[in-house]
Amino acid sequence: MTDVHHASSLLEELNRGRPAWPLLADFPEQDEEDAAKGTAAVHEATEVLRGLVDVPEVERTRSLPPDWVKPLRDAGLYALTTPASRGGRGLSPYNAYRVISALARHSVPPAVSVAVHTGFGSSAYLPLLPDGPLKDTVAAADAAQVISGDADTEPTGAANRRRATTARLDEQGTHYVLDGQKVYIQNAPVAGLLRVSATILGGEDNGRVGLFFVPTDLPGITVGEPHSFVGLRGVPNAPLSLTGVRVPRAFRFVVDPALSTEQEWRLQNQLNDVSVRARMYAIAAPAAALTALCQDIARDFLRGRRVDGLDLAAYGEVQNIVARNAADMMAQEAVARWCLLTPGDPARVRREQMAAKNITSVTCWRVVERTLSLLAARGLETDEGLVARGREPHGLERVWRDARMLRVSGGVDFFVDHFYAVSNVFGPWYEDPAPALPSAAASPQGLSPVNERHWADIGARSAWFAERCRVLVAAHPRRADLEKRQDLTIAAGRFSCELLTAALALGRAAKSGTERDQLAADVYCTAAEARLAGLAHRLDHPRDAGADAALGRLALAGEQEE
């Protein structure tokens, strides 16, 4: 990579009005040896799942087959990134992403289980743990493919900084005693080790959120009945009850002793790096799989269909739907490659990985909605209805439900936009409010003429956005005041993500040099420009917060116009 890439992240530069092409000039590629290793792993994983999971049966029963865990473990799917020295597959992050996406093309629920273990599981914290009994326990669990996950969300809501679950040191000072309730815990029904968050009561850490690695066979832990979701039927997700659970003191992971009890502990750099990388596996990979499935479904639907003597695929709007879906799929892939193939310190793409959760899931949702509209011209019929009439099922209803779940998994999309903007977009402006100085001009290489114009448009949008952010920060000297303007923060978060995705699509097209990628980048950027224009209007003309609040009160009170 070029030296400029070491200086700052692409996203930071875009947000500051400095979209330097050198940051994209050597767009990351997977080397041939690693790609071949990943392709072999994808093939093996796909064959295992195809022989194990009957998708229509899972949809009907809302549960995976009773013996589903062992074959996946035997195939090393709960050790994708575990080094070979500990008996794992030793796959690179991008190959792990490829395997999880391939699993999700067949069935999303088991793919999510593997993804959560890979990204949020205990092994993801091994590089952060000091030598000692906790690191030894986690390493042993990793080698044995003990399934793990993250037990954080509570009935009071995941957005709260504090946790209602509590942890107290016992009188001897050797164990923490945990009490509380957790909900929506991925892998809870099959996990042997969970990372549990709790508010510490008493002592010098009173009021801090502590993180504890908790074996699930300890007395006092109860896993409830699995949650039943709108989508992801059969996913291993359940509530968790902790009553007097005694966890060895050494099994507490200290986040950052310098953080106050009021600071956002989840944004501590090391924790944030784990969290945003994990969502590449748990959200971005399944989203890419569902996007690809939609392309397959649309292709099968259009094949051989004619209307008034003309191929259905020849009609303008149908071509528009297919083209925009293909462009969105290429953009998703560009985001994944940038986030997982960029060499060096993973922290260099921390901001981009944080953006990727919403980029990939919302992009997937656009593709699913378009595909649904395409097939709806024949009728919005369930697979059961099609089979009853002797027709081939397409699975789009399942894809639609699963895709909608991805928009709320790991944080509901609008709150993620807000959270992302507060930390990634406006945060740097509060640290350095000086107007952005444009970077040295550099001509893009490898782009078609129309895509060169798209890059120029990104430059203009980036400069406008930087100035708008600077003005908003100046108008809200107290950061907390701007945080309250969620109409502005959400629009800014979405604007930033649109800029990033369009830039990455262009970078990918320039690197590959193929006609298909050049066309996809053009189609993507054209559509993104319309979305950016709407978001710019929202930032320039914010809603009347008073009118929203007043109408909201009336609506919630049930009052209606006579």
Side-chain angles (χ1 to χ4, degrees):
M1 303 294 286
T2 57
D3 288 341
V4 69
H5 194 90
H6 293 276
S8 59
S9 77
L10 172 66
L11 184 54
E12 181 180 1
E13 294 299 279
L14 286 168
N15 289 342
R16 300 290 291 197
R18 302 184 294 250
W21 181 258
L23 291 171
L24 286 164
D26 52 352
F27 199 92
E29 290 285 317
Q30 190 175 27
D31 67 62
E32 292 185 4
E33 182 180 352
D34 193 52
K37 185 176 181 181
T39 298
V42 163
H43 177 75
E44 181 182 343
T46 303
E47 290 302 307
V48 169
L49 202 59
R50 281 179 180 164
L52 177 67
V53 176
D54 181 338
V55 175
E57 183 66 9
V58 170
E59 287 296 292
R60 186 183 68 83
T61 64
R62 295 178 177 262
S63 61
L64 292 167
D67 57 349
W68 70 275
V69 170
K70 186 178 185 301
L72 299 189
R73 185 184 278 125
D74 290 346
L77 296 181
Y78 287 101
L80 292 178
T81 56
T82 300
S85 60
R86 288 204 299 272
R89 300 294 298 266
L91 296 182
S92 64
Y94 185 66
N95 276 340
Y97 167 93
R98 291 178 61 196
V99 169
I100 292 165
S101 189
L103 292 172
R105 286 193 72 164
H106 181 69
S107 178
V108 177
V112 167
S113 176
V114 170
V116 167
H117 173 82
T118 303
F120 289 102
S122 56
S123 62
Y125 295 88
L126 271 173
L128 311 181
L129 300 178
D131 291 338
L134 176 56
K135 187 168 188 175
D136 292 344
T137 297
V138 172
D142 184 38
Q145 294 192 73
V146 174
I147 299 175
S148 58
D150 183 13
D152 183 39
T153 304
E154 297 181 342
T156 54
N160 294 292
R161 289 188 175 94
R162 295 285 295 272
R163 287 292 171 263
T165 298
T166 60
R168 297 176 181 269
L169 268 177
D170 63 9
E171 292 182 0
Q172 294 75 31
T174 59
H175 289 75
Y176 281 96
V177 181
L178 273 58
D179 292 279
Q181 305 291 322
K182 300 290 183 177
V183 292
Y184 306 134
I185 307 306
Q186 296 280 23
N187 278 343
V190 294
L193 187 64
L194 291 171
R195 196 213 73 173
V196 178
S197 57
T199 299
I200 297 173
L201 301 181
E204 60 183 14
D205 290 323
N206 184 57
R208 294 187 185 281
V209 174
L211 304 180
F212 304 86
F213 287 87
V214 182
T216 58
D217 59 358
L218 290 178
I221 294 181
T222 303
V223 178
E225 287 296 312
H227 292 294
S228 180
F229 295 116
V230 169
L232 304 181
R233 291 180 176 178
V235 71
N237 185 302
L240 194 71
S241 175
L242 302 103
T243 305
V245 179
R246 292 174 55 81
V247 181
R249 184 172 186 171
F251 281 24
R252 177 191 168 194
F253 170 53
V254 178
V255 181
D256 184 349
L259 289 178
S260 74
T261 57
E262 299 305 315
Q263 287 177 296
E264 181 48 77
W265 57 275
R266 287 165 292 194
L267 287 183
Q268 196 267 342
N269 283 343
Q270 291 179 323
L271 285 182
N272 194 38
D273 286 346
V274 170
S275 177
V276 296
R277 169 66 64 86
R279 285 172 173 80
M280 295 302 302
Y281 302 134
I283 305 296
L290 296 181
T291 297
L293 275 173
C294 283
Q295 286 291 74
D296 293 344
I297 291 169
R299 188 181 300 113
D300 290 342
F301 177 77
L302 292 171
R303 186 178 292 118
R305 289 184 178 274
R306 297 174 67 82
V307 175
D308 292 335
L310 184 65
D311 286 345
L312 184 57
Y315 284 88
E317 185 56 24
V318 173
Q319 292 175 340
N320 176 276
I321 289 171
V322 173
R324 290 177 72 176
N325 283 358
D328 278 348
M329 185 163 66
M330 179 269 203
Q332 276 182 322
E333 180 61 20
V335 171
R337 286 173 178 263
W338 184 266
C339 288
L340 295 175
L341 286 175
T342 296
D345 184 358
R348 293 192 309 177
V349 290
R350 178 189 301 140
R351 295 178 187 273
E352 287 90 336
Q353 287 182 350
M354 188 174 181
K357 187 272 177 188
N358 264 10
I359 290 173
T360 56
S361 61
V362 173
T363 299
C364 172
W365 180 249
R366 285 200 303 264
V367 171
V368 173
E369 281 284 277
R370 291 192 205 107
T371 308
L372 193 70
S373 292
L374 179 64
L375 269 65
R378 183 187 62 182
L380 282 178
E381 195 169 0
T382 65
D383 280 355
E384 290 87 347
L386 289 169
V387 171
R389 293 195 301 110
R391 306 296 294 272
E392 192 69 23
H394 47 61
L396 187 56
E397 181 188 0
R398 170 176 61 88
V399 171
W400 181 79
R401 287 189 277 100
D402 288 352
R404 194 62 184 86
M405 286 294 297
L406 293 179
R407 284 183 60 185
V408 301
S409 298
V412 66
D413 49 1
F414 65 82
F415 182 74
V416 170
D417 282 323
H418 164 74
F419 196 75
Y420 161 82
V422 167
S423 58
N424 267 9
V425 177
F426 293 115
W429 283 101
Y430 278 100
E431 296 167 8
D432 179 13
L437 297 176
S439 57
S443 300
Q445 302 296 316
L447 290 177
S448 64
V450 68
N451 282 330
E452 287 181 356
R453 292 195 292 274
H454 285 310
W455 177 252
D457 290 341
I458 287 175
R461 286 291 188 188
S462 173
W464 175 88
F465 184 54
E467 178 60 17
R468 192 74 190 103
C469 289
R470 187 189 67 80
V471 169
L472 285 171
V473 166
H476 300 83
R478 293 179 68 253
R479 185 168 174 169
D481 292 336
L482 184 53
E483 287 186 34
K484 293 176 183 177
R485 292 302 309 271
Q486 293 185 354
D487 56 326
L488 294 173
T489 58
I490 290 171
R494 292 177 181 170
F495 194 102
S496 173
C497 288
E498 288 285 1
L499 274 183
L500 172 65
T501 312
L504 291 177
L506 292 171
R508 173 65 184 153
K511 183 68 174 184
S512 75
T514 66
E515 180 186 14
R516 179 171 181 152
D517 281 351
Q518 294 282 355
L519 289 169
D522 175 25
V523 172
Y524 185 86
C525 290
T526 299
E529 177 60 30
R531 294 191 292 268
L532 285 165
L535 292 166
H537 181 82
R538 286 176 57 181
L539 287 167
D540 267 342
H541 303 86
R543 296 195 306 269
D544 183 346
D548 281 356
L551 180 56
R553 284 193 298 270
L554 291 174
L556 292 174
E559 295 185 24
Q560 299 180 3
E561 184 178 4
E562 294 296 333

